[in-house]
Amino acid sequence: MASQEAVSITPAASGGASSGAAGSSTTTPLLPRKRRAADSEGLADTTDSILSVCGPQKDVPMTLTQKNTTLEWISKDELPLKTLSSAWGFFEIYQRPGATDKDLHVLCQACWRMGKTSLLLLAQANVSNGMKHFRLQARHDLPSLSQLSHACAALYVSKNVKGGNRAARDAYSSRSIDHFLVSKKDRGAFHVEFVLMQVMSLSPHALTTNAYMRSFLSNHAGYVPPALNTVVHHLAELYQFVVSALLEMLESVKKRYMGLPFAHMVTDLWTESYRKKSFGSVVVRLVDPASGTMVESHLGVHLFIGRHTSDNITRWLLRILSIFGLREQDIASTTSDSGANVRKALRTLSASWLPCISHSLHNAVMYALGKTSASDQRNADGAQDRDLPAAERPNHSLNPSAKQLLTKTRKLLNHFQHSELTVSIYNNVSTPGLEEARELVGDVPTRWTSTYNAMARLYTAYPRLCALFMSPNLGVKARRKNLDVNEWDRFRQVIGVLRPCHEMVTRSESATEPVSTMLALLSTLRRFCVPRGPGSALAVGGASIKKYCEDHDDDLHLELDNHLYLAEYLQTAGAAGRGMLCDDADKAVRVLRQQLDKRLFDKTEPSRNLLQSGAAIRSNVVTPEGVHVLAKLASAIEFPSPVPRAISLLKGRCGMLASPSRPSGPAASCPAAAGRARRRARTCLVNSSDEEDEVSGLSGTGAPASPGDVAKAELEAFLRLTDVNKKCNALEFWRNQKDKFPLLALVAYSVIGAVGSSAASERDFSMAGNIITKIRSTLLPQHLEMHCLIRANAHLLPKSLNDLPVLSGDDAKRLRQDLYSRGKEHGAGADDDGSQNEED
């Protein structure tokens, strides 16, 4: 095989040897032949014409060094061969000084003219390795100019055979250029891969870094994309395979759960901007009982036609679930945002409904930062305020001081967005010992998480900002936008209050975080860790932060935007402790708690109280330390403990276990029963053997108990474990306890997957919005559904797309028609949006 190792090159001296086969730089380049042009009008391929495409003639080196061996250039006239192959015109020949064998080293002139060095070994002066080099470069090398030149060289040699192996001559003499391109036999699989690449690349910005695009381009040189009808057909094939894979997976999980409701559904509705068509997203999350891992399955974005009434939404949901083999009895809990009609539709189902914690936290934090809604201003003092000038109207903000601080911060950030002079001074200001200037980012007022990120980035730039506002080159108007010492102190404390809320939102939007973790975090909003004071960071970057924390594990640290700072604990006014929050942060905490109590712990509205949600409290009881968290939350809001109700609901869930098939025969003769009886007779102490008797599933008569009774006995034994009060990951805990409590572990898996945020549906709509752009606004709804489902479940596709089942044209057409009819079968009505939202 050809050897293309790195070589050391000694350039030729002026007037040194040059390629005898190299063409002149004035040689006419290859041109496309005109249609029906006579042979005499065309240009015949020669070594000169082929090499001229690769670039102008270049002097070749007199010596090369490879593996500490010096190779000297020799003339083709010195070759000890009677017949020269036409391939020698594309090579420069080198040999070891004083060598007696016929082994030669050659330099490919096509590569040399294009700036590469490809040194090949020709054993016994056989050009077969050279031909392999031509064919390999024609297939895989980039750019396309290299492919063309090497392909032309291989064709020229095959048609002008002089000497060499006759078998090789016969094999390639009649081949055309198609030999170096994708064969017709394999183009079907390449077309499917091309369609998958289109699905996975949502915008032109993703093409250069997208793994699917890189994989496609690296394997298929000279590929011609398929026609539109072929693309649509292969899209249907990919969609059908993903649907079948989801059906198989959900059916397999359903059998393992023995009749338990196991799927936790997230849903929402969305109206696209261009044609005002409505779509709905359905996402199902569950715990795979075989592996004990959380699995999130996106069932796609589906067309919704008709009014957004609760009845239509319910029928639409049940129809989408039935497509994937799910029934209403398989749904353990549902989650949505505060949209009234969607919430009403979900509450008509038998599953427990959960509000979106992320959405509630967003609104609570916005009010804590001083937001004033339009309804607040209308209803606070009536119509008399409307007649006053804007400057004299009373401020109805719940936290006006924090709102003023945030407004000034936004003006500072906006100044950096519009002043090139300030940015230039900021980037070039001298800050010894600090890294390069970090770009300051603005925030979106309607998305408070972006507000926190902008504030954290601004805080990390404090040393550079101090140097900026001390610079004599900065104007007076820009200096007024700086924050004073008191404002920076308030600023850091507000960041400390927002940080746990940001963590809760981030974790609630995770695809694998159970809702029990959110309740544990909500119970900790009493003491806040804030940076000790503005200044330089202790460490920057993940590795540096980890090392610094290991060396200073006794100090309290806080990480903000990948920067580490010393921190301190501050508490709200009236709490026991030394450090107290400033008025802005303290007021933000009080408003935050008030809003969270109104949205998540409302004592008068069960649907807005997480402690009255069956899905939330069931998930917490089977979580380590979950009982303690429920008691702590109930005590904080002065609400009766939900633990007894949660245990009762869990026992009811245990009773839903279906009895598996058992082999016939007397159960009294079971050897395990005799072993348990012997242990009971030998000791009267309360130990693990008694717990095993309780969960053994056998009655005193030896008759087998039902799976529900066994699961209830396991629940009683689980609640007596001391490990229940130790904090650890819920899924990891049950993976370790699965052998001891096999049936209770199944019940725990069925309730732990409850979702606390509707972020999964929002991600679906974000993906759909990236597909339906201004230039793709005419995309058919059924094609959008295919794109979304394939992209969200691409991991289910086979590694080799050759294994994809082939659909006939009629089946693919029928599939697209069925997709369109699904959206309007749930009910009739005008195609308008009747949804409402409880938030202003």
Side-chain angles (χ1 to χ4, degrees):
M1 186 59 190
S3 172
Q4 299 186 21
E5 300 179 0
V7 295
S8 175
I9 301 175
T10 302
S14 177
S18 61
S19 172
S24 172
S25 59
T26 60
T27 305
T28 304
L30 289 178
L31 297 175
R33 296 183 60 181
K34 298 180 181 180
R35 185 170 297 182
R36 297 190 181 91
D39 292 340
S40 59
E41 299 176 357
L43 295 176
D45 287 342
T46 63
T47 56
D48 292 346
S49 62
I50 294 173
L51 289 174
S52 66
V53 179
C54 304
Q57 179 180 346
K58 295 171 56 178
D59 290 342
V60 297
M62 296 298 295
T63 60
L64 297 176
T65 303
Q66 182 185 35
K67 295 183 179 180
N68 299 324
T69 302
T70 301
L71 305 175
E72 296 182 351
W73 176 84
I74 62 175
S75 173
K76 296 183 177 67
D77 298 334
E78 301 176 14
L79 285 179
L81 300 174
K82 295 180 179 179
T83 305
L84 291 179
S85 170
S86 56
W88 292 113
F90 299 96
F91 299 137
E92 289 297 329
I93 307 170
Y94 296 83
Q95 196 172 33
R96 291 176 299 171
T100 58
D101 55 12
K102 294 183 179 181
D103 293 345
L104 301 177
H105 296 268
V106 296
L107 178 67
C108 177
Q109 287 197 57
C111 295
W112 176 251
R113 292 197 184 192
M114 288 185 290
K116 297 174 58 179
T117 303
S118 296
L119 190 63
L120 315 172
L121 172 64
L122 304 187
Q124 298 296 312
N126 192 333
V127 296
S128 59
N129 270 1
M131 293 301 298
K132 290 179 181 178
H133 167 75
F134 290 148
R135 293 195 297 270
L136 181 64
Q137 299 300 311
R139 285 177 179 268
H140 299 294
D141 198 20
L142 294 177
S144 58
L145 177 61
S146 178
Q147 299 172 11
L148 172 64
S149 59
H150 286 86
C152 289
L155 288 174
Y156 176 81
V157 175
S158 65
K159 294 181 178 180
N160 298 272
V161 178
K162 295 180 180 179
N165 192 321
R166 183 172 295 275
R169 178 187 61 189
D170 295 339
Y172 295 103
S173 59
S174 61
R175 298 287 183 92
S176 65
I177 192 67
D178 291 338
H179 172 67
F180 303 98
L181 304 178
V182 179
S183 64
K184 294 181 179 179
K185 180 180 179 182
D186 298 331
R187 285 178 187 173
F190 297 158
H191 288 341
V192 177
E193 191 169 352
F194 174 80
V195 174
L196 179 60
M197 177 270 296
Q198 285 189 313
V199 171
M200 302 306 295
S201 304
L202 297 182
S203 68
H205 304 288
L207 298 183
T208 55
T209 58
N210 190 274
Y212 290 87
M213 170 65 86
R214 286 183 174 274
S215 172
F216 178 79
L217 292 181
S218 63
N219 293 328
H220 314 308
Y223 172 71
V224 179
L228 178 60
N229 291 338
T230 307
V231 171
V232 173
H233 183 83
H234 290 313
L235 185 68
E237 290 180 337
L238 290 167
Y239 175 83
Q240 183 64 36
F241 183 89
V242 171
V243 171
S244 301
L246 284 172
L247 275 168
E248 184 180 353
M249 185 270 292
L250 293 173
E251 186 63 28
S252 175
V253 171
K254 185 191 300 186
K255 291 179 180 178
R256 295 193 186 103
Y257 271 107
M258 300 169 56
L260 290 174
F262 64 94
H264 304 268
M265 181 177 64
V266 180
T267 188
D268 204 355
L269 295 179
W270 167 71
T271 303
E272 53 99 358
S273 304
Y274 299 99
R275 292 175 296 174
K276 304 302 179 183
K277 288 187 177 294
S278 294
F279 295 87
S281 166
V282 180
V283 182
V284 169
R285 194 167 82 172
L286 54 93
V287 178
D288 187 358
S291 60
T293 57
M294 197 81 74
V295 178
E296 186 177 79
S297 299
H298 292 254
L299 304 188
V301 177
H302 302 270
L303 181 66
F304 186 99
I305 297 179
R307 293 182 59 84
H308 293 185
T309 62
S310 59
D311 293 338
N312 284 346
I313 295 173
T314 302
R315 287 193 290 267
W316 176 84
L317 275 175
L318 294 178
R319 182 173 298 279
I320 297 302
L321 291 175
S322 65
I323 295 172
F324 297 92
L326 295 176
R327 305 167 301 168
E328 181 180 351
Q329 295 83 349
D330 299 324
I331 305 301
S333 70
T334 59
T335 304
S336 69
D337 61 9
S338 58
N341 291 337
V342 177
R343 184 186 68 173
K344 183 178 179 180
L346 294 179
R347 295 192 65 188
T348 59
L349 303 178
S350 58
S352 177
W353 176 77
L354 273 171
C356 176
I357 297 177
S358 178
H359 182 262
S360 301
L361 272 171
H362 164 78
N363 292 312
V365 170
M366 292 303 294
Y367 280 105
L369 294 178
K371 169 191 172 183
T372 305
S373 67
S375 61
D376 292 337
Q377 294 191 5
R378 286 195 305 267
N379 301 329
D381 296 314
Q384 56 184 353
D385 293 344
R386 304 173 192 170
D387 301 331
L388 297 175
E392 301 180 7
R393 293 177 185 175
N395 191 347
H396 301 301
S397 171
L398 298 178
N399 194 354
S401 180
K403 182 178 181 180
Q404 183 182 7
L405 177 64
L406 189 60
T407 301
K408 187 172 182 180
T409 303
R410 284 172 175 159
K411 288 181 179 179
L412 174 60
L413 294 174
N414 289 335
H415 177 70
F416 277 86
Q417 300 293 330
H418 298 90
S419 175
E420 296 183 1
L421 176 61
T422 303
V423 173
S424 176
I425 300 174
Y426 171 81
N427 291 332
N428 298 321
V429 72
S430 176
T431 51
L434 297 181
E435 74 280 1
E436 296 181 0
R438 307 188 74 196
E439 181 182 359
L440 299 181
V441 295
D443 71 325
V444 181
T446 56
R447 296 181 61 86
W448 80 268
T449 49
S450 69
T451 303
Y452 169 81
N453 292 329
M455 294 176 69
R457 176 63 63 86
L458 185 65
Y459 188 85
T460 61
Y462 173 80
R464 186 172 290 274
L465 288 173
C466 291
L468 167 70
F469 287 105
M470 292 176 62
S471 173
N473 300 323
L474 196 66
V476 177
K477 186 176 180 181
R479 292 180 187 276
R480 296 174 183 172
K481 300 184 182 299
N482 188 21
L483 302 179
D484 58 31
V485 177
N486 180 46
E487 289 171 332
W488 275 111
D489 183 67
R490 293 158 52 196
F491 186 82
R492 71 180 179 91
Q493 296 189 43
V494 172
I495 289 179
V497 172
L498 295 183
R499 186 173 180 272
C501 300
H502 179 269
E503 181 182 356
M504 275 188 285
V505 171
T506 304
R507 297 181 67 174
S508 68
E509 293 175 352
S510 171
T512 59
E513 201 72 42
V515 71
S516 56
T517 306
M518 302 303 102
L519 291 181
L521 291 173
L522 288 171
S523 65
T524 61
L525 290 178
R526 294 294 181 268
R527 188 173 62 164
F528 300 90
C529 182
V530 303
R532 187 169 294 179
S536 300
L538 302 175
V540 179
S544 301
I545 291 176
K546 181 179 179 181
K547 186 178 184 305
Y548 187 92
C549 292
E550 291 175 352
D551 298 339
H552 305 80
D553 57 347
D554 295 334
D555 298 333
L556 181 62
H557 301 109
L558 179 67
E559 184 178 348
L560 290 175
D561 199 15
N562 214 22
H563 286 58
L564 189 69
Y565 298 92
L566 285 175
E568 60 181 341
Y569 278 119
L570 298 181
Q571 304 187 46
T572 57
R578 297 181 181 178
M580 299 296 174
L581 292 169
C582 66
D583 292 340
D584 295 352
D586 183 73
K587 182 66 174 178
V589 173
R590 281 184 279 142
V591 174
L592 182 63
R593 291 176 182 168
Q594 176 188 0
Q595 294 292 323
L596 289 179
D597 290 344
K598 175 183 176 182
R599 300 169 191 280
L600 298 178
F601 301 105
D602 192 349
K603 301 176 185 177
T604 61
E605 178 59 40
S607 64
R608 287 185 173 270
N609 193 339
L610 291 179
L611 297 184
Q612 291 184 267
S613 172
I617 60 178
R618 278 195 304 256
S619 177
N620 268 264
V621 168
V622 296
T623 301
E625 207 185 24
V627 174
H628 173 69
V629 169
L630 289 178
K632 184 178 179 180
L633 272 175
S635 176
I637 66 173
E638 299 179 354
F639 190 78
S641 175
V643 175
R645 179 170 175 261
I647 295 176
S648 176
L649 290 175
L650 270 179
K651 290 182 177 178
R653 183 59 57 88
C654 292
M656 300 176 67
L657 282 166
S659 299
S661 58
R662 297 185 178 87
S664 58
S669 61
C670 180
R676 284 186 289 270
R678 183 183 179 189
R679 288 195 299 270
R680 192 183 304 114
R682 295 179 63 181
T683 179
C684 60
L685 299 177
V686 177
N687 53 24
S688 60
S689 64
D690 296 297
E691 293 183 2
E692 291 174 3
D693 289 340
E694 293 179 11
V695 301
S696 62
L698 300 177
S699 62
T701 60
S706 66
D709 294 337
V710 176
K712 292 175 184 178
E714 291 179 356
L715 176 61
E716 297 291 341
F718 161 77
L719 294 174
R720 291 197 297 270
L721 284 177
T722 57
D723 294 343
V724 176
N725 297 322
K726 296 181 180 180
K727 186 177 181 180
C728 67
N729 182 270
L731 292 177
E732 182 180 355
F733 172 84
W734 282 108
R735 283 194 292 267
N736 297 331
Q737 298 290 334
K738 186 176 180 181
D739 295 336
K740 189 172 184 179
F741 305 111
L743 292 180
L744 183 62
L746 205 60
V747 176
Y749 285 154
S750 70
V751 299
I752 286 178
V755 189
S757 172
S758 60
S761 285
E762 299 297 336
R763 285 191 286 266
D764 278 351
F765 296 147
S766 178
M767 175 173 57
N770 289 331
I771 295 173
I772 300 184
T773 59
K774 185 177 181 180
I775 60 176
R776 300 183 71 185
S777 59
T778 58
L779 188 70
L780 294 179
Q782 54 267 38
H783 293 168
L784 174 66
E785 296 179 30
M786 293 181 183
H787 273 266
C788 292
L789 188 71
I790 295 170
R791 193 177 191 279
N793 300 279
H795 59 280
L796 299 177
L797 292 171
K799 293 182 179 180
S800 174
L801 294 181
N802 288 322
D803 301 333
L804 207 66
V806 178
L807 280 181
S808 65
D810 293 339
D811 291 340
K813 183 178 179 180
R814 193 179 305 110
L815 174 63
R816 294 193 297 272
Q817 291 175 347
D818 292 342
L819 282 173
Y820 182 74
S821 62
R822 289 174 188 171
K824 55 185 180 181
E825 287 181 352
H826 56 265
D831 189 6
D832 58 357
D833 189 350
S835 62
Q836 298 176 358
N837 196 306
E838 294 180 348
E839 298 295 336
D840 294 317

